[in-house]
Amino acid sequence: MSYSDLVEERYIDSFVIDICISKFLDDARENGKNDTVYFPTEFYDWMSCNGKNFQQRQLNETTKHLSNVNDLQQILVPVCMPNHWGLIFVDLAHKEMYFDDGLQSAVPTASLPSVNRALELLSEIYPHHPSFQTRFWKNYPMFRCFGMPSQAPVNSKMIGVGSCGIGAIMAARDMTQNGSLCINNFQWRFSDMDQHRKTLMLQLDP
């Protein structure tokens, strides 16, 4: 079962990524903070298809929980690479896009065009949202790094070397709570992932 992958140092799959980040978004909404949208791991499948109507339906379904779409300030998108996870953070309020993964990996080439396409379609779905109505996104050149802690091992215990997905989840959690204030200001470390995994399991326990 995917949930058991949270135990010990091991790679987690897209199911765990989506469930965990969605849980933090639900918690934020219950506390009155409803300014974040999360596009799940199948986002790239949506954007790679040729059906515009299908793409818009998926984006609309994902954003419909917003009580007021004009409150939308940020978008989170996981990034799956070979045996590795990263995270995209779209800061609508400050018109910036970030990617990071803890290993300074190059972002997959399909990521930026996919996000730009989604923003273009969102501008058609929500024509009055001020952050979508700009040509700025279409010409955005590249992602910046948001300062995810380094995943490189710090000792022979190798704690954290298989926790890239947990890092993406924790970065998404912090951004959901604090937005761009997290940039280059994360308080957790991959070297403590044995404890972070236990905490995460307790947070997911109903």
Side-chain angles (χ1 to χ4, degrees), residues 55-91:
Q55 292 173 336
Q56 287 187 317
R57 282 198 305 272
Q58 300 304 314
L59 296 176
N60 186 59
E61 182 69 21
T62 306
T63 56
K64 70 178 185 180
H65 70 267
L66 294 166
S67 53
N68 183 350
V69 72
N70 288 332
D71 292 337
L72 177 60
Q73 298 290 310
Q74 54 197 31
I75 298 171
L76 300 172
V77 189
V79 180
C80 183
M81 297 166 279
N83 298 314
H84 191 52
W85 288 100
L87 183 72
I88 287 171
F89 171 53
V90 182
D91 184 357

Side-chain angles (χ1 to χ4, degrees), residues 166-184:
I166 306 297
I169 290 169
M170 294 181 66
R173 176 203 63 188
D174 293 351
M175 289 168 171
T176 298
Q177 296 172 351
N178 299 306
S180 61
L181 294 176
C182 298
I183 303 299
N184 296 314

Side-chain angles (χ1 to χ4, degrees), residues 17 20-28 31 33 35-38 73-76 87-91 100 146-150 165-190 193 196 199-200 203:
I17 297 276
C20 291
I21 296 179
S22 296
K23 171 66 165 58
F24 290 128
L25 283 177
D26 289 342
D27 291 345
N31 292 322
K33 190 173 178 59
D35 61 0
T36 306
V37 159
Y38 172 67
Q73 298 290 310
Q74 54 197 31
I75 298 171
L76 300 172
L87 183 72
I88 287 171
F89 171 53
V90 182
D91 184 357
D100 217 332
F146 60 69
M148 184 182 286
S150 173
I166 306 297
I169 290 169
M170 294 181 66
R173 176 203 63 188
D174 293 351
M175 289 168 171
T176 298
Q177 296 172 351
N178 299 306
S180 61
L181 294 176
C182 298
I183 303 299
N184 296 314
N185 193 34
F186 293 94
Q187 301 303 305
W188 51 270
R189 296 293 179 264
F190 276 96
M193 274 299 170
H196 297 321
T199 301
L200 185 58
Q203 290 174 322

Side-chain angles (χ1 to χ4, degrees), residues 4-63:
S4 65
D5 291 340
L6 290 172
V7 180
E8 299 181 348
E9 192 69 42
R10 67 182 78 180
Y11 182 80
I12 59 174
D13 63 16
S14 60
F15 175 79
V16 177
I17 297 276
D18 289 340
I19 288 295
C20 291
I21 296 179
S22 296
K23 171 66 165 58
F24 290 128
L25 283 177
D26 289 342
D27 291 345
R29 285 195 289 270
E30 289 180 4
N31 292 322
K33 190 173 178 59
N34 195 18
D35 61 0
T36 306
V37 159
Y38 172 67
F39 291 140
T41 49
E42 61 263 31
F43 167 76
Y44 302 98
D45 294 331
W46 303 346
M47 293 298 104
S48 64
C49 78
N50 293 321
K52 177 181 177 180
N53 290 337
F54 169 78
Q55 292 173 336
Q56 287 187 317
R57 282 198 305 272
Q58 300 304 314
L59 296 176
N60 186 59
E61 182 69 21
T62 306
T63 56

